[in-house]
Amino acid sequence: MVEKMKVPTDIPEGDPDLDAAVIVALGCNDKGCWSSCVEALEAALARFRAEGVDILARSSWWTSQAWPDPTDPPFLNGVALVSTAHDAPTLMRTLGRIEDLFGRVRTARNAPRTLDLDLIAYGRLSGDLDGLILPHPRAADRLFVMGPLAEIAPDWTHPVCGRRARDLAAQAEVGRDARPLARV
């Protein structure tokens, strides 16, 4: 079991270089052993540092119906801009290890999960890196990703389509019901 901790609030000041931005999306709709999905996501962020991933900025948590099956429990999602010495494939393996620590069990596609960590972008990298496709191929269409990203980096530009996060959020088709919660 992962130790329950509060994410540090001492995020470095100054704007990160958005062309070099490493963006991780977080999601949860099964609280597992935590008292709530918010607590689980906060604990996941706190775990990042121990795994060599520093948080530069983070969004508030956003709530939305589960997709594609709205009868599943609702999701909480957020986005973090991070800094790491890991290359993209190593970072993806690190994110998978954190998911495993939080009890993620991979069953059916889009099934409820205790923790979902997606590498949305790694700087300006684009294409297939031995099975890791960057930027994330479906993130630009998801309000529950682009909304939180636009909250912390509205001028981030998608490496492939060239559109800003704020514009992608305004036109996202999936998760149109996504809304921010009050910041914790």
Side-chain angles (χ1 to χ4, degrees):
M1 179 163 153
V2 177
E3 181 180 332
K4 296 180 181 185
M5 309 181 336
K6 186 101 169 128
V7 70
T9 57
D10 57 336
I11 295 171
E13 293 199 19
D15 292 328
D17 176 4
L18 294 181
D19 280 337
V22 178
I23 302 165
V24 176
L26 301 91
C28 174
N29 73 335
D30 175 353
K31 66 184 176 107
C33 68
W34 308 96
S35 66
S36 68
C37 286
V38 168
E39 185 179 83
L41 291 171
E42 292 290 338
L45 284 175
R47 179 67 192 183
F48 278 25
R49 181 149 193 140
E51 299 287 342
V53 180
D54 293 320
I55 300 165
L56 301 176
R58 52 148 314 176
S59 70
S60 59
W61 300 123
W62 286 51
T63 185
S64 64
Q65 287 184 338
W67 183 90
D69 184 355
T71 64
D72 282 339
F75 260 94
L76 279 185
N77 292 93
V79 168
L81 295 179
V82 303
S83 172
T84 185
H86 299 316
D87 62 17
T90 302
L91 178 56
M92 195 64 219
R93 286 190 299 276
T94 298
L95 297 176
R97 186 171 51 253
I98 295 169
E99 288 178 338
D100 292 344
L101 286 170
F102 278 71
R104 170 81 186 259
V105 178
R106 283 164 173 70
T107 57
R109 185 178 172 103
N110 297 313
R113 60 207 79 153
T114 55
L115 183 62
D116 186 23
L117 300 174
D118 288 326
L119 182 56
I120 302 303
Y122 194 98
R124 306 306 295 163
L125 284 178
S126 66
D128 187 334
L129 306 171
D130 292 325
L132 172 59
I133 300 172
L134 290 172
H136 186 288
R138 293 169 303 283
D141 296 327
R142 297 174 172 176
L143 182 57
F144 52 85
V145 175
M146 288 297 119
L149 181 55
E151 185 180 286
I152 59 172
D155 292 324
W156 174 80
T157 304
H158 192 283
V160 175
C161 72
R163 297 178 59 215
R164 293 180 304 179
R166 76 175 87 202
D167 301 325
L168 291 168
Q171 296 178 354
E173 293 295 323
V174 177
R176 292 297 317 158
D177 67 312
R179 299 287 178 264
L181 295 177
R183 196 146 178 132
V184 291

